[in-house]
Amino acid sequence: MKSIIFGLVLLIAHISLSQQVVYFPGFELINIEEREGLQYSTSKLLKSYIEDNNDYTIILDENIGREGYLGQETLVKSAEKALELNAPYLLKGEIYYLQGIYIISLGAYESTGNKLLWHDMAKGAIEQDLDPLLSRLGRSFMTQRSAKTDIEIDEVTQYDQQGVELAQINVNHFVGIMLGGKHIPDQSTLSGFGLVYTYDASTVLFNLDFELYPSSTLSINHQSSQRRLQTGNMNLGVTYPLTRKRMTFFVQGGMEYGYTNVKDELYDQPYTYGESGIGAYVGGGFLINRNSTVNLRMFSTLSLPFYNVDGMDLSGIKFGIITSFARKK
């Protein structure tokens, strides 16, 4: 009885594992010289990227990279070999070189029936583009994502930069402008603007901001249009993108040094009083087109000054949009 149960367990394990096995006879290289070395490296690299990003095991043909092997098996013959290897899926791929452009085409099929299950393509301008293209295809394999648009910040190819202003992010400097506001509960909502310097160090973004929220009527405490509030900040902080994609949510936080003035014109002798000091902020938002020469950040942060003015708690919510422009090197 134990031996029967053990045998059933092995059979179930074998079936569950084989369900995710894919046979890949290797890339067929078309109009490309030095076929053996490039065929071996691209096929092995694609295998690594697929297995790193998806729950599939890729079985390569043992002849990949050997002299005379072109990877030109017919779909039917490749399917027969896949079934011999207990692989229910088959991957067929070609790399074309046409008019100075590398074109990678990949298709996944059922080994039984040869039904097309998935297909994707990617283009590159130089041979160095092949690695990031294979990385994208490894992520898009058997998903709804597309290698053409699913670009991480360090995978921008030379081909991607043709016609659109994208750049591969290693370290970039941006300057920008901020338009937004600050809401101080029980006091006022102020409109504001600012200047923003950003240093993109690939993993995180370092920010230096100068913000000004001009004079605004206090609405609750003093009930007077003759008493006005003005505040401003210099912020030093860090923005952490949650993914390495072009568009991503982020969290951020840092320290601020600010000032707040209150101008009172209720009396014959108007006077102004104010305070300055340090504070902190924390928040998040959404980053659009990170590896474009122009990107946008929509943000909302909680501002926590560590000082009061005339007994007022100046903590509030800052919100706005930052438009940043890449600095020319």
Side-chain angles (χ1 to χ4, degrees):
M1 184 66 179
K2 290 183 179 179
S3 61
I4 294 175
I5 294 174
F6 183 71
L8 288 174
V9 170
L10 288 179
L11 178 61
I12 293 171
H14 174 74
I15 293 173
S16 62
L17 288 174
S18 66
Q19 287 177 345
Q20 300 298 323
V21 175
V22 182
Y23 169 62
F24 182 35
F27 280 112
E28 178 183 354
L29 305 184
I30 301 172
N31 200 29
I32 298 176
E33 299 179 356
E34 301 179 0
R35 293 173 178 266
E36 291 80 9
L38 187 60
Q39 182 190 61
Y40 179 81
S41 59
T42 53
S43 301
K44 291 280 286 186
L45 199 54
L46 180 65
K47 167 184 166 69
S48 298
Y49 284 134
I50 291 177
E51 292 179 343
D52 285 346
N53 290 282
N54 302 280
D55 188 23
Y56 289 93
T57 299
I58 307 299
I59 299 178
L60 296 177
D61 191 288
E62 60 184 9
N63 294 311
I64 290 176
R66 293 183 179 178
E67 186 175 356
Y69 181 76
L70 303 178
Q72 294 178 331
E73 292 180 347
T74 65
L75 181 61
V76 173
K77 185 175 181 180
S78 295
E80 292 174 353
K81 191 173 294 186
L83 292 173
E84 291 175 4
L85 297 170
N86 293 318
Y89 303 117
L90 164 68
L91 183 63
K92 296 288 284 183
E94 299 87 27
I95 301 179
Y96 306 84
Y97 186 70
L98 180 65
Q99 295 182 343
I101 300 295
Y102 288 92
I103 304 169
I104 305 177
S105 176
L106 277 178
Y109 301 81
E110 287 182 344
S111 299
T112 303
N114 301 336
K115 178 183 177 181
L116 179 65
L117 302 174
W118 169 87
H119 180 263
D120 202 356
M121 296 183 70
K123 296 181 181 181
I126 57 176
E127 190 168 312
Q128 285 80 357
D129 286 347
L130 293 177
D131 176 38
L133 295 180
L134 292 171
S135 176
R136 294 188 214 166
L137 289 165
R139 284 198 309 276
S140 72
F141 179 70
M142 298 292 267
T143 71
Q144 297 298 316
R145 290 179 290 190
S146 168
K148 182 178 180 180
T149 56
D150 183 30
I151 305 174
E152 295 192 352
I153 59 172
D154 49 2
E155 293 177 346
V156 177
T157 66
Q158 183 167 320
Y159 181 82
D160 294 324
Q161 299 177 54
Q162 298 177 4
V164 291
E165 294 187 74
L166 294 182
Q168 180 163 306
I169 296 292
N170 292 313
V171 174
N172 272 329
H173 304 265
F174 295 84
V175 292
I177 55 175
M178 183 278 292
L179 295 176
K182 181 176 181 179
H183 174 68
I184 303 175
D186 298 329
Q187 296 296 335
S188 219
T189 298
L190 302 86
S191 59
F193 59 91
L195 298 176
V196 181
Y197 171 79
T198 301
Y199 178 91
D200 190 331
S202 186
T203 304
V204 298
L205 289 73
F206 298 95
N207 308 299
L208 177 62
D209 310 343
F210 299 91
E211 301 172 346
L212 178 63
Y213 300 90
S215 182
S216 177
T217 302
L218 293 176
S219 58
I220 301 297
N221 280 7
H222 300 287
Q223 299 293 333
S224 172
S225 61
Q226 294 176 295
R227 200 182 298 257
R228 303 178 71 83
L229 171 69
Q230 182 183 78
T231 185
N233 298 92
M234 179 180 71
N235 308 319
L236 182 62
V238 173
T239 296
Y240 180 73
L242 298 183
T243 73
R244 296 179 63 82
K245 299 184 182 300
R246 294 176 58 192
M247 301 187 187
T248 178
F249 289 97
F250 63 83
V251 294
Q252 63 179 5
M255 301 297 295
E256 62 182 30
Y257 180 82
Y259 79 93
T260 301
N261 287 336
V262 176
K263 185 176 182 180
D264 195 331
E265 297 180 346
L266 280 172
Y267 307 103
D268 294 336
Q269 297 294 327
Y271 66 93
T272 300
Y273 53 94
E275 291 289 344
S276 62
I278 63 172
Y281 71 92
V282 62
F286 191 68
L287 173 58
I288 300 174
N289 283 348
R290 183 179 176 189
N291 48 359
S292 171
T293 55
V294 179
N295 63 58
L296 297 177
R297 267 181 282 170
M298 297 178 289
F299 71 91
S300 178
T301 60
L302 174 62
S303 175
L304 299 168
F306 300 152
Y307 63 93
N308 294 329
V309 177
D310 193 28
M312 293 187 298
D313 180 5
L314 299 172
S315 299
I317 302 294
K318 294 191 292 187
F319 54 90
I321 297 178
I322 298 172
T323 305
S324 295
F325 304 87
R327 291 180 58 193
K328 299 297 184 180
K329 296 182 178 180

